[in-house]
Amino acid sequence: MHLSKTVTLISTSNQFDVLSVDNATAQARISLYGGHILSFMPKSDQRERLWLSEKAVLNGSKAIRGGIPICWPWFGDNTFSKATNGTLPAHGYVRNQTWHVISCEEIADTTKICLKPESAMGSGLTGTADLLLSITIGHTLNVELTTTNIGTKAFTFGGALHSYFAVTDIMQTQLTGLSGEYLDRPTNMSSKQTPVTYLFEQETDRVHLNPVENTQIVTPEFTFNVQSFGHDSLVVWNPWIDKSVALGDMSVDGYKTMVCVETAVTQGITLTPNQQHKLLQVIA
Ligand code: TA6
């Protein structure tokens, strides 16, 4: 079903609905389950920017492995809410919801789609929020998550645009642009310094506390540019072999062709009533 000149809604049995975008500058696919971008390919180079696990579960029974999961209103298991009983879902609850199309429009040679989750309210969020995802598909992919406090009391939230990038070989991939301290999950969040030459030789799960704007994923074939705005940190993740084997929705060698660079709020942002925050990642 055509939603606009460049957006088609594709419904198939036992799979979630997908928006297929095809405009003059790029193609993209967005799952309404999770408000989850699955694919982005500019027509200028026909190179797919995003990695999607070949074992991703696509029936809406669990979060999709790959693409750009929308983590909100917290990152990881840090809910900023003392009232939790420890059984809250990792990375918040909106990536497991059906999202609804608010608008589709063509602006010059780009397509802008706005989506909202079924409900922004849930256990673990101690306030009343509105959540809007705005996706602009053009020469770049612009992913903007807007949180608005529509209640009468302040609340603290977190989240991440948890982007999986498709690389040819993680062993020949390096990051540039990051600097300063990071918290290293494999060593119990110990504080370490960002390496000058950022290579991948083991499980890598790092919260970089210096919220630089420009990060590059450099491979022999291509350099991805990732711009971040509204973040308090950047997360870098590659599960490496053991975690790849342990993850049921990832092939045993899946780690070899992906890297996550996530525009994130891991330290928490507090919004007073009527205040708004925008988290934006721009992928080129
Ligand atoms: O962003 C890195 C991370 O927090 C890792 O610790 C790992 O858990 C990854 O996210 C994937 O999380 P998920 O819940 O999607 O399996």
Side-chain angles (χ1 to χ4, degrees):
M1 174 175 71
H2 281 279
L3 300 185
S4 73
K5 191 159 70 70
T6 63
V7 182
T8 305
L9 173 66
I10 298 172
S11 297
T12 49
S13 62
N14 79 9
Q15 186 168 346
F16 43 65
D17 287 353
V18 172
L19 301 178
S20 177
V21 181
D22 189 345
N23 63 33
T25 55
Q27 292 177 319
R29 286 185 301 119
I30 303 161
S31 154
L32 292 187
Y33 176 72
H36 196 124
I37 302 168
L38 304 171
S39 166
F40 169 61
M41 185 177 70
K43 290 185 175 177
S44 57
D45 60 16
Q46 300 283 326
R47 178 181 292 273
E48 174 60 57
R49 294 306 194 271
L50 304 178
W51 179 90
L52 187 66
S53 173
E54 60 194 38
K55 295 180 72 177
V57 175
L58 303 179
N59 61 14
S61 64
K62 73 167 298 198
I64 302 162
R65 178 71 58 201
I68 307 182
I70 302 299
C71 303
W72 188 92
W74 59 81
F75 176 82
D77 55 11
N78 182 2
T79 66
F80 304 106
S81 154
K82 302 293 170 277
T84 58
N85 56 12
T87 58
L88 294 173
H91 293 318
Y93 45 74
V94 295
R95 64 174 180 163
N96 298 93
Q97 286 188 25
T98 297
W99 291 52
H100 301 285
V101 178
I102 303 301
S103 63
C104 284
E105 57 181 325
E106 282 73 28
I107 304 166
D109 58 2
T110 69
T111 303
K112 182 177 179 181
I113 299 169
C114 290
L115 301 163
K116 283 193 174 184
E118 189 71 34
S119 167
M121 306 315 300
S123 179
L125 178 66
T126 58
T128 311
D130 179 77
L131 188 68
L132 176 73
L133 177 66
S134 165
I135 304 169
T136 303
I137 298 104
H139 293 292
T140 62
L141 175 65
N142 297 23
V143 187
E144 182 178 72
L145 190 65
T146 301
T147 301
T148 305
N149 185 338
I150 58 173
T152 57
K153 62 178 183 173
F155 63 77
T156 299
F157 76 101
L161 302 174
H162 193 300
S163 305
Y164 289 70
F165 294 93
V167 297
T168 312
D169 180 355
I170 192 65
M171 318 283 194
Q172 298 187 63
T173 298
Q174 64 176 299
L175 301 186
T176 57
L178 291 162
S179 63
E181 179 188 10
Y182 70 86
L183 304 177
D184 187 48
R185 192 177 299 280
T187 56
N188 293 318
M189 303 307 271
S190 63
S191 173
K192 298 193 175 188
Q193 283 300 309
T194 302
V196 173
T197 305
Y198 202 128
L199 300 171
F200 295 87
E201 298 154 335
Q202 58 191 346
E203 179 188 355
T204 306
D205 196 343
R206 302 170 178 175
V207 178
H208 290 270
L209 298 175
N210 179 7
V212 296
E213 186 175 300
N214 295 301
T215 316
Q216 298 78 34
I217 304 167
V218 183
T219 74
E221 305 79 22
F222 181 71
T223 294
F224 301 72
N225 283 290
V226 181
Q227 285 183 288
S228 301
F229 304 90
H231 57 310
D232 65 9
S233 44
L234 284 146
V235 179
V236 174
W237 182 55
N238 183 287
W240 218 245
I241 185 161
D242 292 349
K243 285 270 171 61
S244 274
V245 169
L247 287 167
D249 55 1
M250 197 160 185
S251 64
V252 293
D253 58 0
Y255 73 97
K256 291 181 179 175
T257 56
M258 55 71 67
V259 64
C260 286
V261 175
E262 308 160 34
T263 299
V265 174
T266 59
Q267 307 306 301
I269 284 179
T270 300
L271 293 180
T272 54
N274 302 315
Q275 241 189 334
Q276 194 171 73
H277 173 268
K278 290 182 181 291
L279 184 64
L280 170 63
Q281 186 176 76
V282 178
I283 297 169

